[in-house]
Amino acid sequence: MNYCTHCGTSLRRGIPEGDDRPRHICDACGTIHYQNPKLIAGCIPVWQDRILLCKRAIEPRLGYWTLPAGFMELGETLPDAARREAREEANIEVELDSVYTIFSLPHISQVYVFFRAQMLEERYSAGSETLEARLFREDEIPWTEISFETVYRSLRLFFADRKHGGYSFRLETIMPDQRRMMGD
């Protein structure tokens, strides 16, 4: 960030009084520009014993499979964002269950929130950011083609919980040096 969005003056980087980290500061109008993590909301859409995945039509991870999810918009709630992303990416309507996983990725300043969800009908198709939408049984999941660690972990946890007959909320931090065990 180079210029103040309030007055257009050049910014300096410094630690404001009473703060503990560097921020962009405008000495002309006194505005402190805070940069905060991005929230990504999505869901694990279920139809009977299958999960709906979307093959990404955009970067990053073009051509890899993902759950319907994306950045929250201003003025949205987490549930609104998760339902909107399901509509946009797979043309589905879902009934959201509880929040299932929250992943903090501090190295890229993102927080992912996935809900468990029931598809309202077995009708789906690829949206504008999706090459293909498809329902998968657990043994059909293309584990080596899953787009992001957050999606991979959410799916692994979901199937493990389903086998045990109950779903537990998960809150995790994912660091860049943590690697998934592909195909385990």
PDB file of all heavy atoms in Angstrom, residues 66-82:
ATOM      1  N   THR A  66     -11.955 -29.311  -5.655  1.00  0.00           N
ATOM      2  CA  THR A  66     -12.133 -28.542  -4.438  1.00  0.00           C
ATOM      3  C   THR A  66     -13.566 -28.634  -3.949  1.00  0.00           C
ATOM      4  O   THR A  66     -14.452 -29.106  -4.671  1.00  0.00           O
ATOM      5  CB  THR A  66     -11.745 -27.062  -4.680  1.00  0.00           C
ATOM      6  OG1 THR A  66     -11.687 -26.398  -3.424  1.00  0.00           O
ATOM      7  CG2 THR A  66     -12.721 -26.367  -5.595  1.00  0.00           C
ATOM      8  N   LEU A  67     -13.787 -28.194  -2.747  1.00  0.00           N
ATOM      9  CA  LEU A  67     -15.138 -27.990  -2.237  1.00  0.00           C
ATOM     10  C   LEU A  67     -15.593 -26.608  -2.674  1.00  0.00           C
ATOM     11  O   LEU A  67     -14.766 -25.709  -2.848  1.00  0.00           O
ATOM     12  CB  LEU A  67     -15.138 -28.064  -0.702  1.00  0.00           C
ATOM     13  CG  LEU A  67     -14.840 -29.434  -0.107  1.00  0.00           C
ATOM     14  CD1 LEU A  67     -14.525 -29.316   1.380  1.00  0.00           C
ATOM     15  CD2 LEU A  67     -16.019 -30.377  -0.344  1.00  0.00           C
ATOM     16  N   PRO A  68     -16.896 -26.380  -2.838  1.00  0.00           N
ATOM     17  CA  PRO A  68     -17.343 -25.034  -3.181  1.00  0.00           C
ATOM     18  C   PRO A  68     -17.044 -24.076  -2.024  1.00  0.00           C
ATOM     19  O   PRO A  68     -17.515 -24.269  -0.907  1.00  0.00           O
ATOM     20  CB  PRO A  68     -18.846 -25.174  -3.412  1.00  0.00           C
ATOM     21  CG  PRO A  68     -19.236 -26.528  -2.963  1.00  0.00           C
ATOM     22  CD  PRO A  68     -18.001 -27.335  -2.760  1.00  0.00           C
ATOM     23  N   ALA A  69     -16.214 -23.081  -2.306  1.00  0.00           N
ATOM     24  CA  ALA A  69     -15.793 -22.126  -1.274  1.00  0.00           C
ATOM     25  C   ALA A  69     -15.181 -20.909  -1.954  1.00  0.00           C
ATOM     26  O   ALA A  69     -14.722 -20.995  -3.088  1.00  0.00           O
ATOM     27  CB  ALA A  69     -14.770 -22.763  -0.340  1.00  0.00           C
ATOM     28  N   GLY A  70     -15.164 -19.804  -1.228  1.00  0.00           N
ATOM     29  CA  GLY A  70     -14.533 -18.605  -1.767  1.00  0.00           C
ATOM     30  C   GLY A  70     -14.552 -17.479  -0.766  1.00  0.00           C
ATOM     31  O   GLY A  70     -15.089 -17.605   0.336  1.00  0.00           O
ATOM     32  N   PHE A  71     -13.979 -16.360  -1.170  1.00  0.00           N
ATOM     33  CA  PHE A  71     -13.873 -15.208  -0.296  1.00  0.00           C
ATOM     34  C   PHE A  71     -15.244 -14.644   0.032  1.00  0.00           C
ATOM     35  O   PHE A  71     -16.110 -14.533  -0.829  1.00  0.00           O
ATOM     36  CB  PHE A  71     -13.025 -14.110  -0.945  1.00  0.00           C
ATOM     37  CG  PHE A  71     -11.578 -14.483  -1.092  1.00  0.00           C
ATOM     38  CD1 PHE A  71     -11.042 -14.747  -2.339  1.00  0.00           C
ATOM     39  CD2 PHE A  71     -10.749 -14.574   0.024  1.00  0.00           C
ATOM     40  CE1 PHE A  71      -9.713 -15.089  -2.485  1.00  0.00           C
ATOM     41  CE2 PHE A  71      -9.412 -14.913  -0.108  1.00  0.00           C
ATOM     42  CZ  PHE A  71      -8.893 -15.175  -1.368  1.00  0.00           C
ATOM     43  N   MET A  72     -15.413 -14.276   1.292  1.00  0.00           N
ATOM     44  CA  MET A  72     -16.637 -13.601   1.717  1.00  0.00           C
ATOM     45  C   MET A  72     -16.697 -12.230   1.069  1.00  0.00           C
ATOM     46  O   MET A  72     -15.665 -11.604   0.820  1.00  0.00           O
ATOM     47  CB  MET A  72     -16.664 -13.416   3.236  1.00  0.00           C
ATOM     48  CG  MET A  72     -17.021 -14.656   3.991  1.00  0.00           C
ATOM     49  SD  MET A  72     -17.132 -14.311   5.765  1.00  0.00           S
ATOM     50  CE  MET A  72     -18.558 -13.231   5.831  1.00  0.00           C
ATOM     51  N   GLU A  73     -17.902 -11.769   0.820  1.00  0.00           N
ATOM     52  CA  GLU A  73     -18.135 -10.422   0.316  1.00  0.00           C
ATOM     53  C   GLU A  73     -18.527  -9.529   1.485  1.00  0.00           C
ATOM     54  O   GLU A  73     -19.033 -10.007   2.505  1.00  0.00           O
ATOM     55  CB  GLU A  73     -19.260 -10.434  -0.731  1.00  0.00           C
ATOM     56  CG  GLU A  73     -18.962 -11.275  -1.962  1.00  0.00           C
ATOM     57  CD  GLU A  73     -17.899 -10.669  -2.861  1.00  0.00           C
ATOM     58  OE1 GLU A  73     -17.545  -9.482  -2.683  1.00  0.00           O
ATOM     59  OE2 GLU A  73     -17.403 -11.382  -3.742  1.00  0.00           O
ATOM     60  N   LEU A  74     -18.317  -8.232   1.331  1.00  0.00           N
ATOM     61  CA  LEU A  74     -18.751  -7.293   2.355  1.00  0.00           C
ATOM     62  C   LEU A  74     -20.260  -7.400   2.524  1.00  0.00           C
ATOM     63  O   LEU A  74     -20.995  -7.571   1.551  1.00  0.00           O
ATOM     64  CB  LEU A  74     -18.372  -5.863   1.967  1.00  0.00           C
ATOM     65  CG  LEU A  74     -16.877  -5.579   1.884  1.00  0.00           C
ATOM     66  CD1 LEU A  74     -16.646  -4.150   1.405  1.00  0.00           C
ATOM     67  CD2 LEU A  74     -16.185  -5.812   3.222  1.00  0.00           C
ATOM     68  N   GLY A  75     -20.727  -7.316   3.758  1.00  0.00           N
ATOM     69  CA  GLY A  75     -22.154  -7.372   4.037  1.00  0.00           C
ATOM     70  C   GLY A  75     -22.736  -8.768   4.109  1.00  0.00           C
ATOM     71  O   GLY A  75     -23.941  -8.924   4.301  1.00  0.00           O
ATOM     72  N   GLU A  76     -21.916  -9.801   3.959  1.00  0.00           N
ATOM     73  CA  GLU A  76     -22.393 -11.191   4.030  1.00  0.00           C
ATOM     74  C   GLU A  76     -22.127 -11.784   5.403  1.00  0.00           C
ATOM     75  O   GLU A  76     -21.176 -11.403   6.080  1.00  0.00           O
ATOM     76  CB  GLU A  76     -21.631 -12.084   3.030  1.00  0.00           C
ATOM     77  CG  GLU A  76     -22.156 -12.109   1.661  1.00  0.00           C
ATOM     78  CD  GLU A  76     -21.451 -13.134   0.787  1.00  0.00           C
ATOM     79  OE1 GLU A  76     -20.212 -13.305   0.891  1.00  0.00           O
ATOM     80  OE2 GLU A  76     -22.141 -13.741  -0.033  1.00  0.00           O
ATOM     81  N   THR A  77     -22.942 -12.775   5.752  1.00  0.00           N
ATOM     82  CA  THR A  77     -22.646 -13.608   6.905  1.00  0.00           C
ATOM     83  C   THR A  77     -21.873 -14.822   6.404  1.00  0.00           C
ATOM     84  O   THR A  77     -21.855 -15.108   5.186  1.00  0.00           O
ATOM     85  CB  THR A  77     -23.936 -14.080   7.593  1.00  0.00           C
ATOM     86  OG1 THR A  77     -24.644 -14.943   6.692  1.00  0.00           O
ATOM     87  CG2 THR A  77     -24.812 -12.900   8.011  1.00  0.00           C
ATOM     88  N   LEU A  78     -21.253 -15.553   7.305  1.00  0.00           N
ATOM     89  CA  LEU A  78     -20.566 -16.788   6.902  1.00  0.00           C
ATOM     90  C   LEU A  78     -21.518 -17.755   6.197  1.00  0.00           C
ATOM     91  O   LEU A  78     -21.195 -18.263   5.120  1.00  0.00           O
ATOM     92  CB  LEU A  78     -19.926 -17.473   8.108  1.00  0.00           C
ATOM     93  CG  LEU A  78     -18.577 -16.935   8.552  1.00  0.00           C
ATOM     94  CD1 LEU A  78     -18.211 -17.486   9.924  1.00  0.00           C
ATOM     95  CD2 LEU A  78     -17.508 -17.284   7.544  1.00  0.00           C
ATOM     96  N   PRO A  79     -22.714 -18.025   6.762  1.00  0.00           N
ATOM     97  CA  PRO A  79     -23.636 -18.934   6.064  1.00  0.00           C
ATOM     98  C   PRO A  79     -24.048 -18.407   4.682  1.00  0.00           C
ATOM     99  O   PRO A  79     -24.135 -19.177   3.726  1.00  0.00           O
ATOM    100  CB  PRO A  79     -24.838 -19.034   7.005  1.00  0.00           C
ATOM    101  CG  PRO A  79     -24.305 -18.693   8.352  1.00  0.00           C
ATOM    102  CD  PRO A  79     -23.227 -17.682   8.102  1.00  0.00           C
ATOM    103  N   ASP A  80     -24.303 -17.103   4.568  1.00  0.00           N
ATOM    104  CA  ASP A  80     -24.660 -16.531   3.268  1.00  0.00           C
ATOM    105  C   ASP A  80     -23.554 -16.777   2.249  1.00  0.00           C
ATOM    106  O   ASP A  80     -23.814 -17.143   1.102  1.00  0.00           O
ATOM    107  CB  ASP A  80     -24.898 -15.019   3.370  1.00  0.00           C
ATOM    108  CG  ASP A  80     -26.160 -14.652   4.116  1.00  0.00           C
ATOM    109  OD1 ASP A  80     -27.044 -15.513   4.303  1.00  0.00           O
ATOM    110  OD2 ASP A  80     -26.257 -13.468   4.531  1.00  0.00           O
ATOM    111  N   ALA A  81     -22.313 -16.556   2.655  1.00  0.00           N
ATOM    112  CA  ALA A  81     -21.178 -16.741   1.751  1.00  0.00           C
ATOM    113  C   ALA A  81     -21.040 -18.199   1.325  1.00  0.00           C
ATOM    114  O   ALA A  81     -20.803 -18.490   0.152  1.00  0.00           O
ATOM    115  CB  ALA A  81     -19.892 -16.248   2.413  1.00  0.00           C
ATOM    116  N   ALA A  82     -21.189 -19.127   2.260  1.00  0.00           N
ATOM    117  CA  ALA A  82     -21.072 -20.552   1.933  1.00  0.00           C
ATOM    118  C   ALA A  82     -22.167 -20.980   0.949  1.00  0.00           C
ATOM    119  O   ALA A  82     -21.900 -21.698  -0.014  1.00  0.00           O
ATOM    120  CB  ALA A  82     -21.130 -21.389   3.202  1.00  0.00           C
TER     121      ALA A  82
END
